[in-house]
Amino acid sequence: MNLDGDDSNAVADALAERGVPFIYSTGNSGRDMREGFSNRAVLRKPFSFDELSSKLERLLSP
């Protein structure tokens, strides 16, 4: 979403194009998601190790 003042759209596009699973990590609200990416997993900041582990398990499970 925001990488030190720049957006992460190019990174998200490249990952999605290659079929690489990813999670957005953001302190922003869900309404900030760009069109076509609202179904992506989001990890809200601040987050715990357990929350991160849970999201990764769901993302990477077959």
Side-chain angles (χ1 to χ4, degrees):
M1 297 227 177
N2 182 328
L3 302 172
D4 195 28
D6 292 322
D7 67 46
S8 61
N9 293 345
V11 175
D13 290 340
L15 292 172
E17 185 177 299
R18 290 168 177 78
V20 176
F22 63 92
I23 300 171
Y24 281 108
S25 179
T26 183
N28 296 334
S29 68
R31 68 180 179 274
D32 297 328
M33 293 295 288
R34 67 191 256 239
E35 190 172 321
F37 285 79
S38 60
N39 63 337
R40 295 289 176 172
V42 177
L43 187 58
R44 302 272 177 225
K45 295 178 189 176
F47 56 86
S48 69
F49 179 79
D50 289 339
E51 290 170 308
L52 174 61
S53 295
S54 177
K55 290 277 186 181
L56 288 173
E57 285 177 8
R58 279 185 257 147
L59 182 72
L60 300 174
S61 68

